[in-house]
Structure formats: C-alpha cells, structure tokens
Amino acid sequence: MIAKRRTKRRIPALVTVGVLAGVLTGTAGCSTPPAPRAAPAPTALSGMPRLAPDRSAPPSPSATADACPEGGVRLVEMAGDAAMGLRVASFQLVNCGTQPYVLEGYPRLSLRGDRDEPVEVSVEHGSAGITTGTPNLDAAPQRVALAPGQAAFFGIVWRNLVTDGTVVATTAWNVEVEPRPGAPRLSLRLSEPVDLGNTGKLGLGPWQPLVR
C-alpha cells in the first residue's frame, strides 16, 4: 500500500507580511496614549496683543484742546466772511482758568507767515477806512470781565488787493495776540489765511463780551 504524501500549503509571503504589519500596528496603537486635545482658541479680547504706548507720538487733538494755556485763556478762531476782496474774521478768547479775567480796550495783534516769519502790517483801530457798516469793529472800547468759562471776542477786517506790481503780496497763516498788557501772547494757526495782497493794512475791533 502506497502511503499518501502530505503536502504543506505555503502561505504567500505578501499575506504573511501584511498580517504581521497589522498585528504590530494594532499593538503599537494600544501602547501609545491618545494625542492631547487641542487648546481652545483665544477669545477676541484675550487674543489681542497689548502694545506699550508710543512715548514719541504727539498728544491727541482732544487732549491738546483741553489744556488751558499758561495765561488762563484760550484763543479760538471764529467763522469769517469774504466778498469782492473784502475779508472779515473774528476771534474768541475763552477764560479756561479758575480766576476772573479782565479785558479792556483792544488786543495787541501781529501776523506771521507760513514759516512763522513776521509779516509787516499796519494795524489800526476800527475799520480804518477799509470798509463801512462794521459796528463790531467801530464800537467804543469797553471793560470786559470774564468769569471762568465766559468768553469775549474781537474782529479784524482787510482787503485782498494788489495795487502795485512792484510790491510783493503778503499772506499770514498765524496770528499772535496779547489779550492785555503784559499777558502771555497767544499764537493761533488759521484755517484761512489773512491775504493782505500788498495793501499792508488791517482794521482791528475792540474786545466785546460774547453773548451765548
């Protein structure tokens, strides 16, 4: 009787390697701890960086406007008017201090150019023959007492004319005002210039109480 040979089936190498890799992967997955959960995203407030203040930056316009000058009064430009070469402008003086402030007569006014250079001009009291019908400029000078928070005003008038081609026209972008004798002078940059042409003449009104 002939004995039967038992033949061993060979498992393909690729299958064996694949099964072994799967076993190893599963074992590694069981021994490795799960990855930590991601931290929650920061909110809008906590996520914003905190910047140190810029010490070199100029103060804000509101902070500058709120500061009261050394003399206790502040100069403010008011609305002006212009027609056919005639110019009228007004300025307000506000008592921003803590003590009464007394004005009398006329302020002392001078003009300066765009580069802060002096502008030659003849300043005369009243309308100075420049125009008529300006009662604020031709009013009689008076004593004006300002309590803290109160204000007074004065006006100026001029003509923008060029009557002589040999004389250079002048324009002022800054005014300097001495409210009363010996008081600190106040400088103000204008929104619209004092364009004198070459007339070289300016009319100045007296201090008057500002009625709100």
Side-chain angles (χ1 to χ4, degrees):
M1 186 175 187
I2 301 173
K4 294 183 179 180
R5 291 184 179 181
R6 293 183 178 178
T7 58
K8 295 182 179 180
R9 296 178 61 187
R10 293 184 179 181
I11 301 174
L14 292 177
V15 175
T16 304
V17 173
V19 172
L20 181 59
V23 172
L24 292 177
T25 304
T27 305
C30 294
S31 60
T32 305
R37 296 178 60 187
T43 61
L45 292 178
S46 62
M48 292 179 63
R50 294 184 179 181
L51 301 178
D54 184 1
R55 302 295 182 184
S56 64
S60 64
S62 59
T64 304
D66 292 338
C68 189
E70 177 186 359
V73 288
R74 181 187 300 115
L75 187 65
V76 180
E77 183 180 10
M78 301 174 68
D81 197 5
M84 300 296 291
L86 181 66
R87 309 282 194 265
V88 178
S90 298
F91 300 90
Q92 182 181 156
L93 189 77
V94 182
N95 182 358
C96 55
T98 59
Q99 301 295 324
Y101 197 93
V102 178
L103 300 166
E104 195 162 0
Y106 297 83
R108 293 186 61 181
L109 180 140
S110 59
L111 302 177
R112 305 188 75 86
D114 190 38
R115 298 182 179 179
D116 205 35
E117 71 278 11
V119 173
E120 292 188 11
V121 58
S122 174
V123 179
E124 302 183 23
H125 291 170
S127 58
I130 297 173
T131 187
T132 58
T134 53
N136 288 338
L137 275 81
D138 293 322
Q142 59 179 309
R143 184 178 184 272
V144 180
L146 301 179
Q150 291 184 333
F153 77 99
F154 70 92
I156 59 175
V157 63
W158 71 97
R159 285 192 181 276
N160 176 22
L161 294 177
V162 177
T163 57
D164 188 347
T166 63
V167 179
V168 177
T170 56
T171 299
W173 278 99
N174 302 275
V175 297
E176 284 189 350
V177 174
E178 184 179 304
R180 60 187 184 186
R185 296 180 71 84
L186 301 172
S187 298
L188 182 65
R189 176 77 176 185
L190 303 175
S191 60
E192 296 291 339
V194 178
D195 48 352
L196 294 168
N198 55 21
T199 61
K201 187 177 181 180
L202 181 75
L204 173 68
W207 286 115
Q208 297 185 67
L210 181 65
V211 180
R212 297 183 183 275

